Amino acid sequence: MASNDLVSVTLVTYNSGRYIKRCLESVLAQKGPQIEIVVVDNNSTDGTRDILERYEDRCLILYNSSNSGFAAAQNQAIQLSRGDWVLTLNPDVLLMPYFIQALLEAGRLDNRIGTVCGKLLTMSPDFDIDAKPRVDSTGIYFTPNLRHLDRGSLEIDNGHYLKREYVFGATAAAALYRRSMIDDISIDGEFFDTDFFVYREDADVAWRAQLLGWRCLYTPYARGYHVRAVLPGNRRALPKQINMHSVKNRFLMRIKNMTGDLYRKHWLSITARDLVVVSCCLVYEHYSLRAFGKVMQSWSRVWSKRSEIMARRRVTDEYMAGWFHYNPVSRPAPKKGSAAMAPARSDTQVAES
């Protein structure tokens, strides 16, 4: 039974020994709401399990016998959790003491808010923080060619992003999700799509949540630090498996969520980007060519998911098109106490697709 007095923090670990202790300590030091911590370890072999054993009296920890992927393991953690709000957290994130409280206060401003994110700043793998830290993420946005990027990524934190505002979605590195939204947008009992395995699953959730009428709110009062391993400019330094899943999930996400109107508006940009992706696979990333076979293998299953999403879609073409721009899009957020009990999604009724 979910509790509105409890925030569930869900973590997935996989060879996260370098980070997990400091991450857990920052969660346990949170001020404000009552929290529970649920950790699912994906068969780590680097000593992560030894560290987690020290926290078994303060966390609920599940040890998988194999690496089931981020999406599946997060779903496990969410299913084991009890809170009315769920904070998904990466082990390489360090939270400031009032991070969760600030997210929760923002989420309570309007019951149409399904996701809340804060300001994440960058830090080194050794948890060193620069004197002039750079932004890691203040939410995610989509471009017309279907790239999803972090707002403010690598900008010096010099006073931007100082007000609450609606954004397209949140990075699952530190995203607070309303339980009722999780239940509403889950497909076949899955919040994160296990076909994705790893990478882009949070962008898929954000797109699906928007289609089903939920909003994502950014609040600058929640601050944390993140070791960002995956950036557009360091693709060649990433494991081959990550790059393969990145290619695969780009197309899975589109099959599930793309509407006809959006494709008609941006087909040229989308096609140009597709040609770049395919060309890179043919010339540089031969191992990523497997992505296309995996897309075909999962076609019928993913198309079934699409059919359910589109049958339940609650927003207009115009509303969705307004989010896809080359520059980040944001919209004014409610002031404290306004629209707190407004009817959910009443202003975004579906138009014929």
Side-chain angles (χ1 to χ4, degrees), residues 197-224:
F197 191 79
V198 68
Y199 197 56
R200 298 190 195 269
E201 67 288 313
D202 48 4
D204 173 65
V205 161
W207 199 341
R208 189 187 336 142
Q210 288 287 351
L211 285 166
L212 297 187
W214 292 93
R215 295 177 173 180
C216 178
L217 182 66
Y218 160 75
T219 177
Y221 308 114
R223 293 171 65 92

Side-chain angles (χ1 to χ4, degrees), residues 199-265:
Y199 197 56
R200 298 190 195 269
E201 67 288 313
D202 48 4
D204 173 65
V205 161
W207 199 341
R208 189 187 336 142
Q210 288 287 351
L211 285 166
L212 297 187
W214 292 93
R215 295 177 173 180
C216 178
L217 182 66
Y218 160 75
T219 177
Y221 308 114
R223 293 171 65 92
Y225 294 87
H226 182 211
V227 180
R228 175 71 65 168
V230 180
L231 286 166
N234 70 342
R235 185 177 182 89
R236 294 191 183 185
L238 298 175
K240 293 180 179 180
Q241 281 292 102
I242 294 291
N243 288 334
M244 187 278 291
H245 285 297
S246 172
V247 174
K248 168 178 64 73
N249 296 344
R250 168 183 169 81
F251 293 98
L252 292 185
M253 182 165 52
R254 180 194 312 178
I255 294 168
K256 289 175 60 182
N257 302 302
M258 171 66 72
T259 53
D261 174 77
L262 199 60
Y263 184 73
R264 286 190 293 271
K265 282 184 169 67

Side-chain angles (χ1 to χ4, degrees), residues 82-98:
R82 300 173 294 129
D84 201 45
W85 291 87
V86 175
L87 176 68
T88 61
L89 197 64
N90 279 6
D92 56 2
V93 170
L94 187 68
L95 303 181
M96 295 296 97
Y98 289 94

Side-chain angles (χ1 to χ4, degrees), residues 84-132:
D84 201 45
W85 291 87
V86 175
L87 176 68
T88 61
L89 197 64
N90 279 6
D92 56 2
V93 170
L94 187 68
L95 303 181
M96 295 296 97
Y98 289 94
F99 185 88
I100 294 178
Q101 179 173 305
L103 292 182
L104 190 60
E105 289 178 353
R108 287 172 171 168
L109 291 175
D110 192 325
N111 68 357
R112 292 168 292 188
I113 296 168
T115 310
V116 191
C117 60
K119 177 183 280 189
L120 293 181
L121 303 172
T122 62
M123 66 178 175
S124 76
D126 295 320
F127 279 46
D128 292 329
I129 299 169
D130 291 340
K132 292 184 177 180

Side-chain angles (χ1 to χ4, degrees), residues 317-333:
D317 285 336
E318 182 181 9
Y319 173 83
M320 286 305 300
W323 287 109
F324 288 74
H325 290 276
Y326 285 107
N327 293 316
V329 177
S330 62
R331 295 173 179 174

Side-chain angles (χ1 to χ4, degrees), residues 63-80:
Y63 300 98
N64 284 341
S65 59
S66 62
N67 182 4
S68 62
F70 175 87
Q74 264 293 347
N75 289 342
Q76 284 179 280
I78 291 169
Q79 289 165 7
L80 290 169

